[in-house]
Amino acid sequence: MDSGIESNLVDPHAVKSAVSGHAAGIAASLVPWKVGVALFALGMTATAGWAPLEQAWMAWLAFAVLAAAVVRARDAAQAGLRSLCFALGLHAAGHGWVFHALLMHTEAGWLWSVLGSALFLVYLAGFLAVPAWLCRGVLVRRLPGNRPLAHVRARAAWLPAGLALTWTAGEALRGLLFNGFDTLAAGYLFTAWPLRGWVPVVGVYGCSFLFYASASVAGAAFVSGRSPVRALLGLAALQIALVLAGGAALDLQQWVTPVGRPLTFRLLQGGVPQQEKFDARESQRQVDAYLDAITAAPADLIVTPETTFAMGWTELHPDVLHRIRTFSATTGAHVFVGMPHMEAGGLVKNSVFQIAPGHPALPRYDKSRLMPFGEYAPIGLAWFTQRMSIPLNDQTPGSTDQLPFYVNGAGVPVRVGTLTCHEDASQADARRWASRTELLINPGNLAWFEGTWALPQRLQVAQARALETGRPLLRTTNTGVTAHIDDRGRVVARLPLGTAGVLSGVVHPTTGLTPFARFGNAQVLVLAGVLVVAAAVATRWNTVGSRRAHRSNGKSP
């Protein structure tokens, strides 16, 4: 029955037969199990586009096929279910590490790890499935019955524009809800040359729009054109050429300029397994190891990971702070230490402290974008957070208008912005720092996800933030990936995963604003307007062509 339904858009005379039959038969035909399995597998292969494999062309082909499946869907329900199958495969393969973290590093147990991961994957999949259902239901509310084939093509011309707009909007929404979770956003496929030239101009979501627009138009052309192969090859080749050439040309543009002198840095990676991170029997050993690493050699900046010390200053021996201060005053080093900050009333904040030479005060940055379940409980889900039994799982967020740190660079103050762990996934947080800083630091603790694709995926996210802001980024984590990323999003150097080590080097702060840092996502609206106009022109062209053809045949359209 599915093959008959699949041919509706190319054979309008079969429409009546396709929508007839018993209700049970129609319901069963929404997503036949073979089609669902194939789309699920296709979604899994699409993850090869992102880190660590970074084969963007595979993701593009997969989404082009998905767009074709949505265009050929009989109705909105079928379009939504097909997209759901694809999205479940995409997130099961790309975000399956959530299950690993729940099972291995919490007290959730097998049952709740499976249920929690499954619900989370369905939640993520909805941001692809609901837009497809919405587009198919609103833009093509019903099959046009015995209308000419060109009329079918004209109405289907709006679907690629709608899919590009709503899939991009879905990504943006996914990046906002529950403090954001937008890994596997299509825009992160653009972090390598030549596509990376687009990121400083339109941002990650603008790149997502370019990706979805080209894939959707290609998929729709394949199933709607008179010569599908020629339409696919011609139209897709033109779009890909424009995106690739545009990215390469934009990559030559220097949006920011170096300022001041280069700064030396040391990024410390403790290599502490998550099982030992908050173990009271291991805490003193960890403090001693980090203290020795901090004071081993001087540098302008010495940055430690998030929660380097699992306790606050009042719980540490006074000699710890004294030793770091003495080292800083002697060498001129600015030391950044991640640790909890305990406030009056029992409030706990995830903080980064600066120990500066000759300054008795301890400037502090408090993490403002907390990780759901790990650092706070979403409304109504405190019971699940308690079941996981994660240390420091009831934190208070910091303000979003905190001051940057200041580092003396040969007498020239350099402003340093902080993105603590999960905050590197936020466009808004990074953009807020762009006009107020010349350098970014990104301390984190990803030992929760050690041995999974979460680590290279999050490195790719950090590369995008460096590209969007035009700021070099020093990323230091407990078990990896610790890396120096330049203002063009390139990984200059990195440490091996899962080991203790120190990454030393030189970083040059930058000044100036990229177009994205200056205008934000306004460019996405411009791109959307261009695509809407193109869809309107295509619709008009198809409609006029249809009328002329029927007049020449002596028929009324």
Side-chain angles (χ1 to χ4, degrees), residues 245-336:
L250 290 170
D251 192 53
L252 299 175
Q253 178 65 40
Q254 187 69 38
W255 302 110
V256 298
T257 57
V259 61
R261 72 168 177 87
L263 301 175
T264 58
F265 67 81
R266 297 176 64 239
L267 309 179
L268 310 187
Q269 180 173 292
V272 180
Q274 189 61 32
Q275 295 92 327
E276 300 176 7
K277 180 68 178 173
F278 297 97
D279 188 337
R281 296 167 297 181
E282 294 287 333
S283 61
Q284 190 57 50
R285 183 188 66 81
Q286 295 174 32
V287 170
D288 292 341
Y290 269 114
L291 198 54
D292 290 342
I294 289 171
T295 58
D300 292 319
L301 295 94
I302 300 176
V303 189
T304 70
E306 177 188 29
T307 57
T308 298
F309 303 142
M311 60 195 79
W313 289 118
T314 57
E315 299 174 86
L316 285 170
H317 194 282
D319 285 349
V320 174
L321 179 57
H322 175 73
R323 186 175 168 187
I324 297 176
R325 274 182 161 158
T326 301
F327 170 77
S328 173
T330 303
T331 63
H334 292 256
V335 182
F336 297 89

Side-chain angles (χ1 to χ4, degrees), residues 15 50 235 333 446 512:
V15 172
W50 288 268
L235 189 56
L446 298 180

Side-chain angles (χ1 to χ4, degrees), residues 414-432:
V414 174
R415 298 171 298 176
V416 179
T418 306
L419 297 171
T420 302
C421 198
H422 182 61
E423 291 178 330
D424 62 9
S426 169
Q427 270 193 339
D429 291 349
R431 183 172 173 245
R432 186 175 64 247

Side-chain angles (χ1 to χ4, degrees), residues 29 63 89 98 138 204 282 335 419 422 479:
S29 72
F63 273 90
V98 172
V138 173
V204 162
E282 294 287 333
V335 182
L419 297 171
H422 182 61
T479 58

Side-chain angles (χ1 to χ4, degrees), residues 129-207:
V130 172
W133 167 79
L134 187 65
C135 287
R136 188 63 177 81
V138 173
L139 297 179
V140 187
R141 289 187 295 273
R142 61 180 178 83
L143 291 176
N146 59 357
R147 302 291 285 172
L149 178 58
H151 186 74
V152 180
R153 293 196 193 103
R155 295 190 65 176
W158 282 100
L159 272 178
L163 289 174
L165 286 167
T166 55
W167 277 343
T168 303
E171 282 189 0
L173 184 60
R174 179 158 65 95
L176 289 175
L177 296 178
F178 303 108
N179 281 341
F181 193 91
D182 71 344
T183 47
L184 297 191
Y188 293 124
L189 298 166
F190 283 57
T191 53
W193 187 89
L195 296 174
R196 70 178 179 220
W198 287 103
V199 183
V201 180
V202 299
V204 162
Y205 296 137
C207 293

Side-chain angles (χ1 to χ4, degrees), residues 269-471:
Q269 180 173 292
V272 180
Q274 189 61 32
Q275 295 92 327
E276 300 176 7
K277 180 68 178 173
F278 297 97
D279 188 337
R281 296 167 297 181
E282 294 287 333
S283 61
Q284 190 57 50
R285 183 188 66 81
Q286 295 174 32
V287 170
D288 292 341
Y290 269 114
L291 198 54
D292 290 342
I294 289 171
T295 58
D300 292 319
L301 295 94
I302 300 176
V303 189
T304 70
E306 177 188 29
T307 57
T308 298
F309 303 142
M311 60 195 79
W313 289 118
T314 57
E315 299 174 86
L316 285 170
H317 194 282
D319 285 349
V320 174
L321 179 57
H322 175 73
R323 186 175 168 187
I324 297 176
R325 274 182 161 158
T326 301
F327 170 77
S328 173
T330 303
T331 63
H334 292 256
V335 182
F336 297 89
V337 179
M339 61 194 304
H341 174 60
M342 315 299 181
E343 292 190 341
L347 297 181
V348 179
K349 293 186 177 180
N350 189 342
S351 304
V352 175
F353 288 86
Q354 179 187 21
I355 296 94
H359 290 277
L362 292 175
R364 185 182 86 241
Y365 171 78
D366 300 324
K367 186 177 182 181
S368 62
R369 191 175 296 270
L370 302 177
M371 172 69 80
F373 302 108
E375 294 173 324
Y376 84 97
I379 297 175
L381 295 173
W383 61 273
F384 188 69
T385 301
Q386 293 169 359
R387 178 178 289 275
M388 291 194 297
S389 188
I390 296 175
L392 302 175
N393 65 4
D394 187 18
Q395 300 181 28
T396 301
S399 168
T400 57
D401 61 352
Q402 300 176 67
L403 296 175
F405 294 118
Y406 286 85
V407 172
N408 259 337
V412 179
V414 174
R415 298 171 298 176
V416 179
T418 306
L419 297 171
T420 302
C421 198
H422 182 61
E423 291 178 330
D424 62 9
S426 169
Q427 270 193 339
D429 291 349
R431 183 172 173 245
R432 186 175 64 247
W433 285 125
S435 62
R436 305 165 59 200
T437 63
E438 291 78 39
L439 174 66
L440 296 175
I441 59 173
N442 181 206
N445 174 32
L446 298 180
W448 299 95
F449 313 114
E450 189 174 1
T452 72
W453 281 12
L455 303 185
Q457 286 174 9
R458 290 294 297 274
L459 177 64
Q460 193 173 42
V461 168
Q463 290 177 262
R465 298 292 90 85
L467 278 163
E468 286 176 334
T469 59
R471 297 291 179 264

Side-chain angles (χ1 to χ4, degrees), residues 61-85:
L61 285 177
F63 273 90
V65 174
L66 174 61
V70 171
V71 171
R72 296 184 68 169
R74 179 178 55 78
D75 55 21
Q78 191 177 70
L81 286 172
R82 288 179 173 184
S83 298
L84 181 64
C85 291

